[in-house]
Structure formats: C-alpha cells, structure tokens
Amino acid sequence: MGRKPLKKKVDYFVLVFWIVIFLAIGIQLVPQLESVTEALAFAFFSVVTMYFPATYLSRVLLPKALKTKKITLFVIQYIVVSALTGWIYVGYLYLFAFLEQKGIFPNTHFFDISDVPPYVIWIYGMSSTGFLMNLAMCGLSFLLEYAKSQ
C-alpha cells in the first residue's frame, strides 16, 4: 500500500522536473535569441527529445536490468540511447540555424555552429543532453527501486 503513494510522488516530481528543464532552457535563450517563440520552440523540442529516451531508460530498461542482473547490458543501452539523444539535440542546433537563415526566426547566429570543431559539438551534445538528463532520470528510478526493496 505504501508503494503507490511513493510512485505518485515520484511521478509528480518527474513532471515538475521536466517543466523546470523546459523553463530553464527557454528562459536562458530568450535574451539571446530576440524571439520568445524561437526560445520556447527550441526548449520544447529539446525537452521532448530528452523525455522519451530518459523515460524509456529509467522506467523500462533500468528496472528490467536490476531484476535480471544484466547491468552491463543496461550500461551499453544507456550509452547508445544517450549518444543518439545527444546527436538529435545537436541536429536541432543545425535546424534552428537553418530556420534563422531562412528568415523564419530573427538571425541571431546563436545556433550557428559551423565554425565549431566537431569534437566540441560531440562533447557538448553528448554531455549536456544525452548523458546528464538520462543520468538524472535513471538515478531517480534507481532510488525508487531501492526504496521499493526496503
């Protein structure tokens, strides 16, 4: 009986977590982009891109790995999913740079990463979105699984 209220509290916490991430991204971008619409669109796409892989990793794959004790497989899945998420995020940088060039949004050059070395883009995309967001959600899920076992 105690598990359902804990799960419900975690669900509310996760919802607030994603709302805060959305607002943080949007608020950080508004002064730099000159367009609230562009900032919120980028924040929306970023959060949606991070939400689904993080949820799948933390709610499906991690509990399954803990039950079957296949942690090595989970680590590989985590790395692959995080890398894909990061690359999608980097793709959004190129997409929004393109949308600025086409005049859909004001041309701020904020998303223009054409002169950035590829290794910097890889590190930025991987660390900021893929690995860190998934780590946060998997950490929360691991904590929930631990609490269930007590």
Side-chain angles (χ1 to χ4, degrees):
M1 187 159 137
R3 291 183 185 172
K4 290 212 184 225
L6 178 62
K7 185 179 179 332
K8 205 168 220 175
K9 288 178 186 176
V10 169
D11 289 344
Y12 288 131
F13 177 79
V14 168
L15 176 63
V16 170
F17 173 84
W18 287 111
I19 290 170
V20 167
I21 295 297
F22 170 78
L23 292 174
I25 294 170
I27 290 170
Q28 286 179 349
L29 292 178
V30 167
Q32 299 167 23
L33 295 179
E34 304 171 9
S35 170
V36 173
T37 305
E38 183 179 15
L40 295 179
F42 186 79
F44 174 78
F45 284 116
S46 297
V47 168
V48 167
T49 299
M50 291 182 277
Y51 171 79
F52 291 107
T55 300
Y56 183 66
L57 278 169
S58 65
R59 299 226 174 166
V60 176
L61 296 180
L62 179 60
K64 183 178 175 182
L66 291 173
K67 286 178 186 158
T68 61
K69 299 185 188 312
K70 293 184 179 180
I71 301 302
T72 304
L73 175 61
F74 173 75
V75 169
I76 292 168
Q77 292 168 329
Y78 174 86
I79 291 169
V80 169
V81 169
S82 296
L84 291 173
T85 303
W87 280 108
I88 291 170
Y89 185 79
V90 169
Y92 287 144
L93 297 176
Y94 285 107
L95 172 67
F96 277 79
F98 174 78
L99 294 174
E100 284 185 356
Q101 288 173 353
K102 292 297 179 187
I104 295 171
F105 295 120
N107 198 357
T108 62
H109 300 287
F110 179 79
F111 294 109
D112 184 12
I113 56 175
S114 58
D115 58 342
V116 178
Y119 70 91
V120 173
I121 295 170
W122 188 84
I123 291 169
Y124 173 74
M126 303 303 280
S127 65
S128 67
T129 55
F131 286 97
L132 295 178
M133 287 299 142
N134 291 338
L135 182 63
M137 297 312 298
C138 288
L140 180 63
S141 180
F142 184 79
L143 182 63
L144 181 61
E145 291 297 320
Y146 175 76
K148 285 180 188 177
S149 70
Q150 297 302 310

